[in-house]
Amino acid sequence: MCRTKASSGCPMLGKPKLQKNFRSQISQRGPLDIEDLVHLGRNVGTCPYYGSRSMVQAADLIVLPYQSLLSKSSRESLGLVLKNSIVIIDEAHNLADSLISMYDSMITYSQLENVHHHMERYFERFWSLLGPGNRRYIQTLILVTRALLKLLHNEEAPYAEPCKNNSTGKNSTLDYSMAINDFLFSLNIDNINFVKLLQYIKESNIMHKVSGYGERIINPRNDLGMKTSGKCYEKESTLSSFRALADMLLSFINFDGDGRMIISKNKSTCFGENGGYIKFVMLTGEKIFSEVVDQTHAVVLAGGTLQPIEETRERLFPWLPSSQLNFFSCSHIVPPESVLPMAVSSGPSGQPFDFSYSSRSSSAIVKELGLLLCNLVTVVPEGIVVFFSSFDYEEQVHGLWRATGILDRIMKKKRIFREPRNNTDVESVLKEYKENIDALSKKDPQQNISSSSGAVLLAVVGGKISEGINLSDGMGRCIVMVGLPYPSPSDIELMERVKHIETLGNSNSIKSLKFYNEVPSGDVETGLEILRSCKRGKEYYENLCMKAVNQSIGRAIRHINDYAAILLVDVRYSSNSSKRSFSHPADKLPKWIKDCLISSTENYGEVHRRLHQFFKLNRKMGQ
């Protein structure tokens, strides 16, 4: 019996009548969640996934992730029709960056080796059985992979000096960027029709043929003369490597100004493996988003940190007349007396808090931050969440606190939990943290605040806790934001986005930044030079920082009866600071926080007094 493609993927699809019965029962019920659909599918004896998916066209409301909505191929595969629909995009502050990152592609040195090796073996084995067209296309694929391999294997960068990208200062990586056309010309593959090549890959099923044959090959061979242990082939399947190559080829057909090619030429590791990669970074999302806007009746962008809206407009729909863009903003449901935001510029001993990159590793500042926390645990009830700029910095601070005995002092009052690097472990840490907080509610409600216990959670901006976790009530009575989490100017991809945004509709900016297209931007100094030359690009860079801050501090206030203190710990948050290199951070805070922000305090004594009064008042109101 011949099995269809669908039935070979899901054995529960063998009986169409059961699928029809499943759809009929769905249409007779109200909204069902995933568990309900699974239960119904199990009772009927058919696949709930394909059954519910076939109901998309009849649905009044469809909830789906960004990727399924914004990717044209995903919409087509789901049968999603946007015509005359109203599209509502939540958390839209992430939309522009999420949209372009969907079209990024990357292929590593080991993946290229994998594909190149198996393509050659396949061609050698079957060339006499292949037609002229198949031979030509397979030879073209081999030629392209060989060209990309030689680019990464060559120790000398043709267009850039090496960047010092590690702490030792040794030139372990060579990172630089190129325009798409320049990249193709430099590899002498500009005469290849990549549209037809991709069509051949899709229609011939060559990926599965080569990977299927490759699974039977035991001893890999490298015809480029590069040393390889063969272990790289075990790390990833040939099929996944081939898909990475297909994605990279797809990036080559973009317009020259749509993105940049990033080349990272890492030197070989001690195991003889090359860690280099080639990555395409999409820079513009307006053409992709226009497909959604043009088809729909209306698009609603919703989010708590959308401002400044002008950046969103320029990056997503610059063609749209201002008369067709309506902006609405409302105040927070929580009353002003339930939130206490303060800029804390100095610690208990008077040491100024300067967490800029050049100063934050100072032992004096790290110790002062520890002393601040030692004081906070005596006045803040229940849970305190401390946000750091990175996992590395959190680890550095935690290590110094342990060595100086500060951790022991804190733990006499509250337990300390740390956000794990592995996202899969976050849930268990949060569960234990919450159980520790909930245990307090079982104690005598008349117990004095200062004698209460609780917990401290050390978290990271950009981690899972900062972006999607509800820290309501006791889980987040006080949020401590340590410093300003500006992205590193050494990130070459970020700097390419900064340069692109700077040149939007500004020919003078294009001329002024032309120099930076010819030199590497993988080091801090070059990144800072680019930012100094920018206006719009620098604004985008600042917005990235403050959107991350707003996401983090917004974890605490989650309902109308909630209350929390928010401490912005850095002298740059202060209204009278002269330490800022960029615009005032308070200008980019949400209105409901900015309106009641205490932007200057004389000393820590004032901070402590205000915290004591705030929690005393809200504790009485909650009784």
Side-chain angles (χ1 to χ4, degrees):
M1 178 178 176
C2 179
R3 302 178 69 189
T4 65
K5 183 178 180 181
S7 64
S8 64
C10 181
M12 297 179 70
L13 284 178
K15 299 179 180 180
K17 288 185 178 180
L18 295 180
Q19 277 283 295
K20 186 177 180 180
N21 182 22
F22 179 81
R23 290 192 294 268
S24 176
Q25 292 199 40
I26 288 181
S27 61
Q28 296 173 14
R29 302 190 182 192
L32 302 176
D33 59 23
I34 292 177
E35 289 75 14
D36 294 331
L37 290 170
V38 171
H39 181 69
L40 179 60
R42 185 177 291 115
N43 290 342
V44 174
T46 190
C47 178
Y49 169 73
Y50 283 104
S52 57
R53 178 169 160 172
S54 64
M55 297 287 290
V56 166
Q57 294 182 353
D60 295 318
L61 176 65
I62 302 171
V63 182
L64 68 169
Y66 275 179
Q67 290 76 5
S68 300
L69 170 68
L70 301 174
S71 169
K72 184 178 180 180
S73 59
S74 296
R75 292 198 301 271
E76 291 175 348
S77 66
L78 291 170
L80 190 63
V81 179
L82 297 181
K83 188 175 181 180
N84 296 326
S85 298
I86 297 176
V87 172
I88 302 174
I89 300 176
D90 194 17
E91 300 292 340
H93 60 276
N94 292 323
L95 179 58
D97 287 327
S98 296
L99 182 62
I100 56 179
S101 65
M102 284 170 49
Y103 291 86
D104 288 353
S105 59
M106 186 178 80
I107 188 163
T108 65
Y109 184 91
S110 61
Q111 287 175 324
L112 282 168
E113 271 194 319
N114 198 349
V115 173
H116 180 265
H117 166 76
H118 290 302
M119 283 294 299
E120 285 204 327
R121 293 299 295 266
Y122 180 86
F123 186 71
E124 289 173 2
R125 172 66 180 81
F126 298 106
W127 74 271
S128 61
L129 303 176
L130 297 170
N134 278 328
R135 289 182 190 176
R136 184 172 65 254
Y137 280 119
I138 293 175
Q139 285 175 317
T140 302
L141 284 169
I142 293 173
L143 184 149
V144 172
T145 54
R146 183 180 288 126
L148 298 175
L149 271 171
K150 286 183 177 179
L151 172 67
L152 291 180
H153 184 63
N154 183 11
E155 292 291 346
E156 296 299 326
Y159 295 102
E161 293 298 322
C163 303
K164 295 182 179 180
N165 251 15
N166 62 352
S167 58
T168 61
K170 296 180 181 178
N171 297 333
S172 62
T173 62
L174 302 170
D175 291 353
Y176 59 100
S177 68
M178 300 176 69
I180 301 173
N181 288 346
D182 291 340
F183 178 81
L184 298 178
F185 282 126
S186 69
L187 298 182
N188 198 26
I189 56 175
D190 55 292
N191 59 336
I192 295 174
N193 189 328
F194 288 105
V195 174
K196 288 187 175 180
L197 185 59
L198 285 163
Q199 187 177 358
Y200 167 75
I201 292 174
K202 181 179 180 180
E203 295 178 353
S204 67
N205 206 26
I206 189 66
M207 288 195 297
H208 292 84
K209 292 176 181 177
V210 172
S211 59
Y213 176 71
E215 288 176 359
R216 300 195 296 269
I217 297 180
I218 301 175
N219 299 315
R221 176 170 58 86
N222 190 331
D223 290 339
L224 289 180
M226 304 171 203
K227 293 182 179 180
T228 175
S229 62
K231 293 181 180 179
C232 61
Y233 300 107
E234 300 172 6
K235 292 181 179 178
E236 299 184 65
S237 70
T238 305
L239 185 58
S240 65
S241 298
F242 215 131
R243 283 172 177 160
L245 176 64
D247 289 340
M248 182 57 62
L249 298 182
L250 184 63
S251 69
F252 293 164
I253 66 176
N254 285 289
F255 288 108
D256 192 48
D258 287 352
R260 299 281 290 184
M261 305 301 303
I262 307 294
I263 300 94
S264 179
K265 306 199 325 182
N266 293 17
K267 290 184 178 179
S268 299
T269 66
C270 57
F271 300 104
E273 298 173 0
N274 191 306
Y277 64 84
I278 299 169
K279 183 173 184 179
F280 171 73
V281 179
M282 179 68 82
L283 297 177
T284 176
E286 61 183 79
K287 297 174 186 175
I288 306 165
F289 195 61
S290 66
E291 296 177 356
V292 175
V293 176
D294 292 343
Q295 293 180 48
T296 59
H297 175 74
V299 176
V300 179
L301 305 183
T305 52
L306 267 174
Q307 293 174 307
I309 196 66
E310 181 61 19
E311 178 199 311
T312 303
R313 188 196 69 80
E314 284 189 341
R315 296 184 66 193
L316 291 178
F317 30 82
W319 71 90
L320 193 69
S322 57
S323 59
Q324 294 186 34
L325 178 65
N326 300 301
F327 181 72
F328 171 76
S329 178
C330 58
S331 58
H332 203 286
I333 193 173
V334 173
E337 58 269 19
S338 295
V339 58
L340 177 64
M342 281 191 289
V344 182
S345 54
S346 60
S349 66
Q351 168 74 42
F353 284 130
D354 178 10
F355 289 99
S356 58
Y357 186 79
S358 58
S359 305
R360 67 181 187 179
S361 296
S362 164
S363 59
I365 291 178
V366 175
K367 288 178 182 177
E368 192 74 9
L369 179 64
L371 293 178
L372 171 67
L373 204 54
C374 288
N375 281 269
L376 291 181
V377 296
T378 66
V379 69
V380 177
E382 301 174 293
I384 300 175
V385 184
V386 185
F387 282 105
F388 295 91
S389 57
S390 68
F391 280 104
D392 289 341
Y393 187 56
E394 184 273 341
E395 191 170 334
Q396 178 185 344
V397 171
H398 186 270
L400 196 147
W401 284 354
R402 183 195 295 113
T404 55
I406 290 176
L407 278 186
D408 293 334
R409 290 178 58 182
I410 296 171
M411 288 190 290
K412 287 179 180 178
K413 211 68 180 173
K414 294 182 186 289
R415 285 189 61 187
I416 292 181
F417 296 86
R418 302 172 67 190
E419 178 176 3
R421 290 178 183 260
N422 191 342
N423 283 344
T424 58
D425 298 329
V426 171
E427 187 175 348
S428 60
V429 172
L430 279 174
K431 181 181 179 182
E432 191 175 355
Y433 172 72
K434 186 177 187 303
E435 288 174 350
N436 192 277
I437 301 297
D438 291 345
L440 292 176
S441 62
K442 300 176 183 178
K443 294 184 178 182
D444 182 2
Q446 299 301 320
Q447 190 177 16
N448 188 284
I449 293 178
S450 61
S451 63
S452 298
S453 183
V456 175
L457 176 60
L458 307 183
V460 174
V461 174
K464 188 171 182 179
I465 290 176
S466 72
E467 299 208 352
I469 301 300
N470 186 348
L471 298 173
S472 61
D473 300 318
M475 290 184 71
R477 285 297 178 221
C478 180
I479 303 295
V480 180
M481 174 58 61
V482 179
L484 284 156
Y486 285 109
S488 172
S490 66
D491 186 338
I492 188 170
E493 295 178 34
L494 171 62
M495 287 301 108
E496 289 298 334
R497 300 197 197 284
V498 166
K499 289 189 290 183
H500 173 74
I501 290 170
E502 181 66 17
T503 58
L504 289 176
N506 190 339
S507 58
N508 291 330
S509 295
I510 294 174
K511 293 177 182 178
S512 65
L513 288 171
K514 185 178 180 182
F515 168 74
Y516 293 110
N517 290 332
E518 301 170 352
V519 298
S521 48
D523 62 276
V524 172
E525 286 305 315
T526 304
L528 290 174
E529 284 183 38
I530 292 173
L531 289 170
R532 294 187 193 106
S533 305
C534 293
K535 184 178 179 181
R536 289 181 179 180
K538 185 165 70 172
E539 179 82 4
Y540 166 71
Y541 182 75
E542 295 174 17
N543 291 343
L544 284 177
C545 170
M546 290 310 299
K547 283 179 181 179
V549 169
N550 294 337
Q551 277 288 98
S552 301
I553 62 181
R555 297 300 93 204
I557 306 293
R558 309 307 293 176
H559 59 84
I560 191 170
N561 295 318
D562 207 354
Y563 62 93
I566 298 170
L567 303 185
L568 305 173
V569 183
D570 196 300
V571 69
R572 291 170 291 178
Y573 286 110
S574 176
S575 59
N576 55 5
S577 172
S578 59
K579 293 276 187 180
R580 293 186 302 272
S581 301
F582 302 107
S583 61
H584 199 303
D587 295 338
K588 299 182 186 297
L589 289 170
K591 189 175 185 298
W592 61 278
I593 291 181
K594 182 168 61 176
D595 287 348
C596 51
L597 174 67
I598 300 171
S599 58
S600 180
T601 50
E602 294 182 2
N603 49 48
Y604 174 73
E606 181 185 350
V607 173
H608 198 91
R609 177 177 56 81
R610 287 180 180 273
L611 286 171
H612 179 77
Q613 293 174 345
F614 173 77
F615 288 114
K616 183 178 180 181
L617 173 65
N618 279 278
R619 189 164 177 264
K620 287 181 178 179
M621 291 174 61
Q623 288 180 355

